[in-house]
Amino acid sequence: VQLVESGGGLVQAGGSLRLSCAASGSISSINIMGWYRQAPGKQREFVAHITAGGTIMYADSVKGRFTIARDNARNMMYLQMNNLKPEDTAHYYCTAWTTGWYWGQGTQVTVSS
């Protein structure tokens, strides 16, 4: 499974961004797809995930602001991020579970105050 993220960038606080993750390879066996993020000097943390059946979970810090979605027909996953805060600044990674965890290279999100 190969994962490629896009859509990161620089945005002012209160703004929005949409991240995309394109999956290729042995995608038919993908169950969970999700997003994690890592800020400088911090551990990688869970942001959101969505299962093949559509079950969704969010980190408390992003509930009500971020929306995860999955388009199985296009092998894509998205993260709509609204009302961004400076503390959302991080490198965002797409991940997928089949028989193990796969990770993309990530995309940088920077939120200025």
Side-chain angles (χ1 to χ4, degrees):
V1 175
Q2 293 79 46
L3 304 169
V4 179
E5 304 93 335
S6 61
L10 173 63
V11 64
Q12 288 188 330
S16 299
L17 283 174
R18 189 177 83 151
L19 305 184
S20 298
C21 174
S24 60
S26 302
I27 58 176
S28 62
S29 59
I30 292 177
N31 182 359
I32 300 171
M33 293 190 76
W35 294 94
Y36 279 70
R37 66 187 182 186
Q38 187 167 19
K42 295 187 177 181
Q43 290 188 328
R44 191 172 296 189
E45 65 174 5
F46 169 78
V47 176
H49 78 215
I50 182 168
T51 70
T55 300
I56 291 172
M57 285 190 65
Y58 295 102
D60 287 343
S61 59
V62 307
K63 279 181 183 176
R65 301 187 299 121
F66 290 12
T67 302
I68 190 171
R70 183 169 172 175
D71 185 340
N72 292 325
R74 291 185 170 86
N75 304 322
M76 296 291 295
M77 179 180 62
Y78 306 97
L79 186 69
Q80 178 65 43
M81 305 185 295
N82 298 328
N83 190 23
L84 282 160
K85 303 176 181 180
E87 52 263 42
D88 295 317
T89 295
H91 209 67
Y92 284 69
Y93 296 90
C94 171
T95 187
W97 168 267
T98 60
T99 56
W101 286 106
Y102 293 86
W103 297 86
Q105 292 299 306
T107 185
Q108 179 66 32
V109 171
T110 302
V111 185
S112 63
S113 56

